[in-house]
Amino acid sequence: VSTIFTVWALSYATSDAVGMSRTGMLWVGALANVVALFTIPLWARLSDRIGRRPVFLVGAVGSAVAMPLYLWAISTGSYPLTLILGVLVFGVVYSAANGIWPAFYAEMFPTRVRLSGMAIGTQTGFAIAGFAVAFASQIAGPDGDDWAGVALFAALLCVPPVVAALSARETAQVPTEQLGERHAEVPAKAGASVKA
C-alpha cells in the first residue's frame, strides 16, 4: 500500500491520463504524512489497550477498502477529493497497521531469535514490496490508466497480512519474558491468568 501510494499513484496522477500537478500531489503525500505523525502514536496507544491484532486488522482491511477509493479520486482529477482520501488512506487508515507492526511482529518471537525473526520477515516483505510499482505499471496497461486494476492489485496485497494477523496470537498483554513461548500465560483483567 505504501509503495503504490507514494510511487505509482503519484506517477498516475501526473500522467497525461489524469494531468494533475506534481506539486499538488506531493502536497497530498506530505499532508498525509503530517497527519500520520499524530495518528500512529494514537493507534499504538490503542493497541496497548485493546490488542495488536484488532488495530493491525483495521489498518490492513481498511487499506484494502480505502486504497481503491484513493485511486478513484485521482482518476477524477479532483484535488480536494484526492487530498481528503489521500489523508484518510495514508494518514489515518494505513497508519493503524504501520504504527503497530514493529511491536506486533517482534512479539511473535522469543528473545533468543527476536531480532533475526523480525529482520528476516520484514526485509523479505520490503524487498517484495519494491516490485509492487513494476507490477502496478504492467497492470495499468500501455496507457497507464487502468487505475481499477491497480486498485484491485493493492487490495489483494492486503489479504496475506489479514490472514497472517488472524492466525497470529494476541501479544499486547503477554509479559515480556513470555513473548514467543507457545503457551504463555496472559493476565486476565480480574487478576486471574488464562492461556494465550
Side-chain angles (χ1 to χ4, degrees):
V1 170
S2 175
T3 308
I4 299 294
F5 181 92
T6 57
V7 180
W8 188 86
L10 174 64
S11 176
Y12 169 60
T14 59
S15 70
D16 292 337
V18 179
M20 297 175 85
S21 79
R22 181 170 294 276
T23 301
M25 287 304 297
L26 289 173
W27 273 109
V28 170
L31 292 173
N33 276 295
V34 167
V35 170
L37 289 173
F38 296 96
T39 58
I40 285 175
L42 295 175
W43 286 119
R45 187 176 182 131
L46 182 63
S47 82
D48 287 341
R49 296 180 78 103
I50 68 169
R52 311 281 187 239
R53 269 192 339 184
V55 175
F56 187 86
L57 287 168
V58 165
V61 172
S63 292
V65 172
M67 191 64 178
L69 294 174
Y70 174 64
L71 295 179
W72 165 77
I74 291 173
S75 75
T76 68
S78 168
Y79 286 104
L81 188 60
T82 300
L83 176 64
I84 290 167
L85 286 170
V87 168
L88 176 69
V89 170
F90 204 72
V92 179
V93 176
Y94 175 75
S95 291
N98 196 33
I100 62 102
W101 72 261
F104 190 40
Y105 294 4
E107 291 171 355
M108 296 293 126
F109 301 97
T111 306
R112 187 174 53 82
V113 295
R114 185 167 298 144
L115 183 59
S116 298
M118 188 171 167
I120 292 167
T122 56
Q123 296 311 307
T124 301
F126 293 154
I128 293 169
F131 292 99
V133 174
F135 289 129
S137 296
Q138 290 298 312
I139 293 167
D143 296 330
D145 60 353
D146 183 5
W147 68 267
V150 176
L152 178 61
F153 172 64
L156 290 174
L157 288 176
C158 295
V159 172
V162 168
V163 171
L166 288 171
S167 66
R169 64 185 205 132
E170 181 54 63
T171 58
Q173 304 303 319
V174 177
T176 303
E177 63 277 0
Q178 294 179 9
L179 287 172
E181 293 180 11
R182 273 191 100 85
H183 300 290
E185 296 285 327
V186 180
K189 299 238 185 228
S193 62
V194 294
K195 289 282 184 186

